[in-house]
Amino acid sequence: MSIMRSGPADPEVTGAQIRGARGLLNMSVAELSERTGLAINTIRKAEKTNGLPEVTSGNLRLIITTLEQAGILFVPADHLGAGVRLRDLDLQPLQRRREKSAE
């Protein structure tokens, strides 16, 4: 029995898992916001809890799907708790965009 999901986005993903997923990908809140089309405040609201996010199920599904497409696997809760991992260990983290310096 596999502990990793392979089906559609699961609304049981926690805010802590979303934060962890972004960390594994080196993805900022702003970048996740840009990729999903959701407001930065919506992403922050989803991540502010260790439990179930206080966002609509549609927004949560969009966040989860976007992170999965970027290479994340959400591990459902078991006796060790919920988690996240990279789908491919060779996946390179996203490169942070550098702010253009004022010249």
Side-chain angles (χ1 to χ4, degrees), residues 1 7 12 14 16 18-22 25 32 34 39 43 50 53 60 63 67 75 83 88-89 94-95 97 100-101:
M1 180 173 136
E12 297 280 326
T14 67
I18 295 169
R19 288 192 310 273
R22 275 195 320 98
L25 294 170
L32 182 55
E34 186 177 301
I43 304 298
N50 286 336
L60 181 55
I63 292 168
L67 292 168
V75 180
D88 180 1
L89 294 177
L94 300 173
Q95 297 298 315
R97 296 183 200 166
K100 291 185 179 180
S101 60

Side-chain angles (χ1 to χ4, degrees), residues 45-73:
K45 185 176 182 180
E47 292 185 348
K48 78 177 183 178
T49 180
N50 286 336
L52 295 178
E54 297 176 6
V55 295
T56 66
S57 62
N59 286 346
L60 181 55
R61 288 181 201 284
L62 182 57
I63 292 168
I64 293 167
T65 300
T66 301
L67 292 168
E68 288 176 332
Q69 289 172 348
I72 290 296
L73 289 171

Side-chain angles (χ1 to χ4, degrees), residues 27-48:
M27 183 185 290
S28 69
V29 170
E31 185 165 1
L32 182 55
S33 170
E34 186 177 301
R35 286 178 177 230
T36 60
L38 298 174
I40 288 175
N41 285 341
T42 301
I43 304 298
R44 288 186 177 141
K45 185 176 182 180
E47 292 185 348
K48 78 177 183 178

Side-chain angles (χ1 to χ4, degrees), residues 74-103:
F74 289 94
V75 180
D78 61 10
H79 68 283
L80 296 175
V84 292
R85 62 185 344 184
L86 294 174
R87 180 179 43 222
D88 180 1
L89 294 177
D90 294 330
L91 181 72
Q92 295 297 314
L94 300 173
Q95 297 298 315
R96 293 281 176 139
R97 296 183 200 166
R98 303 258 187 235
E99 298 282 332
K100 291 185 179 180
S101 60
E103 296 178 14

